[in-house]
Amino acid sequence: MAKESLLFEKTIKSVIFYLRLIGLSFVNQNDHRRRFFYIYNFFHLNTEVVCEIVWLIVHMTTTGIDFIEVTYIIPCLSLCFLGNVKALLFLYNMEHVKELIRILKESFKSRQSCHVHEKLLWKEFRNMNIIAKIILYINISGALGFAIIPWLIFATKYYSTGEIKLVLPFIVSYPFDYTDIRLYLFAYTHQLWTAWVAVLSVFSPDCFFYACSASITVLFRTLQYDIEMIEVKKFIRPNVTDKTLRADFGKVIHRHKLVIRCVALLEKICTISNLMNVVISSFLICATGFNILAMDSLPLMIPFISFLNQSTIQIFILCYYGDQIMRSSMELSNAIYRCKWYNSNAAAMKDFLFILIRTQKPCTITAYGFTIINLRAFMKILSTAWSYFALLTTLYRK
């Protein structure tokens, strides 16, 4: 097995680990215990969502709109909704997920190990793993911040007034009195578990997207290297015939088709969740930024600072990998210009022209066709979030 294949397998194992934390996996789908675990997490998550929506409806119809409380609950609801969408779409597209992983594995196994290919893959996967760990640590810090908030409020209230006030990390409306100490610990634990499920439901499918995007980017770049080396082989190995080079170029064309197929599969798997990401990210960044501005307590601000960092980095990395796929697919045309095509015969020139024409249409990941996921889309998201933030701030001051 090529070293590139081993690197890919190692990265996929880490993705599988993150998916299994919430009961998802594309390995051994007949494991009923894992299915039960996902259903259990799904029930917990959506129970909390219903309770938050009930609180929001009751609060708005009885006491009116409180900007601070509403913007406090909007990021939580948005994250839960996004987690639901990502997890359910991952399950719905499981056959596409399996096919994509199979094609990527075969693509890495079918080639002989090459130092240049190995270096490209190692660098890309190293960066991907670092990014995933950074996002995971930010999620952990944010979850810990929300977990500590009730105890800080309790300590502050008890120190200043001597009263015992029990509060929860998130604002909800339960059908029981959670201030009863016998029920408080249950409600508190339930909310923390729900928060982790929501975070992991977003993070785990994203890790799958990062790993597949990094693999596809490497495959495009190794294709560039192989195309540039086709004519160079004549000078390195004088006994190489045009027929052999034509056969090598046929393999390159076949690999190019497989990579294009991988992009199409990743688009099918992630296109709807990408649309939800693009739409919800603006609200998340806007609402968390407003909370940081409006709150006058540093302990209450800390978890929202982590929330803001997580939301911004998550959508940036998504757009970054979409941009990498688009750019690496278009850079194949540069490889053809650099490959000394003018030394080839007429038949080989036609093959070069075929790939050159295909590379004029970049391979892209979209948000259900509404926009291409790239760095330009990230700038639009930030611009939209800033517009919402300015409007919300103006309304709050009035």
Side-chain angles (χ1 to χ4, degrees):
M1 183 183 293
K3 291 183 179 179
E4 300 100 286
S5 180
L6 293 174
L7 289 171
F8 176 75
E9 292 279 358
K10 184 178 179 181
T11 302
I12 289 299
K13 284 180 180 179
S14 65
V15 174
I16 292 171
F17 171 75
Y18 292 132
L19 289 169
R20 284 177 173 172
L21 290 177
I22 55 171
L24 293 176
S25 180
F26 48 84
V27 180
N28 193 11
Q29 286 297 299
N30 295 323
D31 190 344
H32 298 292
R33 289 177 300 177
R34 188 165 292 116
R35 287 185 180 181
F36 175 78
F37 186 54
Y38 172 74
I39 293 171
Y40 174 80
N41 289 330
F42 181 82
F43 174 78
H44 268 278
L45 176 62
N46 288 283
T47 299
E48 198 69 21
V49 169
V50 171
C51 292
E52 287 183 343
I53 293 174
V54 169
W55 177 89
L56 189 62
I57 294 172
V58 172
H59 186 75
M60 293 179 66
T61 54
T62 56
T63 61
I65 298 177
D66 186 331
F67 269 87
I68 300 298
E69 291 182 335
V70 171
T71 53
Y72 188 97
I73 200 173
I74 282 177
C76 306
L77 276 174
S78 300
L79 186 67
C80 291
F81 177 75
L82 186 59
N84 266 323
V85 170
K86 282 182 173 289
L88 289 173
L89 286 174
F90 190 87
L91 282 174
Y92 178 77
N93 292 293
M94 189 58 68
E95 293 303 318
H96 294 317
V97 170
K98 291 179 182 178
E99 184 181 357
L100 175 57
I101 295 297
R102 179 183 59 79
I103 294 175
L104 289 174
K105 284 182 178 179
E106 290 177 356
S107 298
F108 288 117
K109 285 181 180 179
S110 61
R111 298 197 321 273
Q112 293 181 351
S113 184
C114 171
H115 176 69
V116 175
H117 297 178
E118 182 185 341
K119 186 177 179 181
L120 283 170
L121 191 62
W122 180 84
K123 181 181 178 181
E124 200 68 39
F125 282 164
R126 181 199 61 183
N127 294 340
M128 191 277 292
N129 285 315
I130 291 173
I131 288 168
K133 287 179 180 179
I134 290 172
I135 296 175
L136 181 62
Y137 293 150
I138 292 174
N139 287 330
I140 291 173
S141 64
L144 289 175
F146 278 104
I148 294 171
I149 281 178
W151 303 108
L152 292 176
I153 295 175
F154 169 79
T156 304
K157 190 73 174 178
Y158 184 77
Y159 178 78
S160 59
T161 64
E163 297 178 0
I164 296 176
K165 183 180 180 181
L166 297 175
V167 295
L168 292 171
F170 306 104
I171 304 173
V172 295
S173 179
Y174 286 132
F176 55 84
D177 183 14
Y178 67 83
T179 58
D180 186 341
I181 192 63
R182 294 170 298 180
L183 299 173
Y184 176 76
L185 290 177
F186 166 77
Y188 177 79
T189 306
H190 171 73
Q191 287 203 350
L192 292 186
W193 183 266
T194 301
W196 273 112
V197 172
V199 166
L200 289 173
S201 295
V202 175
F203 175 72
S204 301
D206 279 351
C207 281
F208 172 81
F209 177 83
Y210 302 156
C212 293
S213 298
S215 302
I216 291 170
T217 301
V218 168
L219 289 174
F220 272 126
R221 287 176 178 165
T222 55
L223 278 173
Q224 296 172 31
Y225 174 79
D226 292 342
I227 289 173
E228 291 178 17
M229 292 298 294
I230 283 177
E231 287 297 325
V232 176
K233 289 179 181 179
K234 286 184 178 180
F235 301 95
I236 299 175
R237 295 156 55 193
N239 59 337
V240 174
T241 63
D242 289 339
K243 185 177 180 181
T244 303
L245 291 177
R246 186 77 186 276
D248 290 344
F249 199 75
K251 293 177 182 178
V252 168
I253 293 175
H254 177 69
R255 284 167 50 201
H256 188 211
K257 291 179 180 178
L258 285 179
V259 181
I260 293 173
R261 174 62 180 163
C262 289
V263 177
L265 287 171
L266 190 61
E267 166 74 359
K268 288 180 181 179
I269 295 165
C270 301
T271 185
I272 299 177
S273 62
N274 287 341
L275 177 62
M276 296 298 105
N277 249 324
V278 170
V279 174
I280 291 175
S281 291
S282 298
F283 292 105
L284 279 173
I285 295 171
C286 166
T288 50
F290 177 79
N291 272 300
I292 294 169
L293 178 69
M295 290 178 179
D296 54 1
S297 174
L298 181 61
L300 293 177
M301 289 171 57
I302 291 175
F304 281 98
I305 292 174
S306 298
F307 211 135
L308 178 61
N309 290 334
Q310 185 270 338
S311 302
T312 307
I313 293 175
Q314 187 258 350
I315 191 62
F316 169 74
I317 299 302
L318 189 80
C319 293
Y320 167 78
Y321 274 114
D323 194 81
Q324 286 290 94
I325 290 175
M326 183 182 71
R327 290 180 182 275
S328 60
S329 68
M330 294 182 68
E331 286 170 358
L332 282 176
S333 59
N334 297 332
I336 292 174
Y337 283 119
R338 294 192 297 262
C339 74
K340 301 183 184 298
W341 54 270
Y342 44 82
N343 292 329
S344 305
N345 54 36
M349 286 183 181
K350 289 180 181 179
D351 292 334
F352 282 126
L353 182 60
F354 175 78
I355 290 188
L356 185 63
I357 293 172
R358 179 60 186 85
T359 55
Q360 301 309 304
K361 180 183 178 182
C363 295
T364 57
I365 303 296
T366 70
Y368 205 59
F370 286 94
T371 185
I372 296 174
I373 302 298
N374 54 19
L375 293 178
R376 185 176 295 179
F378 175 71
M379 297 307 298
K380 289 181 181 178
I381 291 168
L382 288 185
S383 176
T384 304
W386 175 254
S387 300
Y388 292 155
F389 175 78
L391 177 62
L392 196 59
T393 305
T394 303
L395 292 174
Y396 176 66
R397 287 173 180 171
K398 289 183 179 181

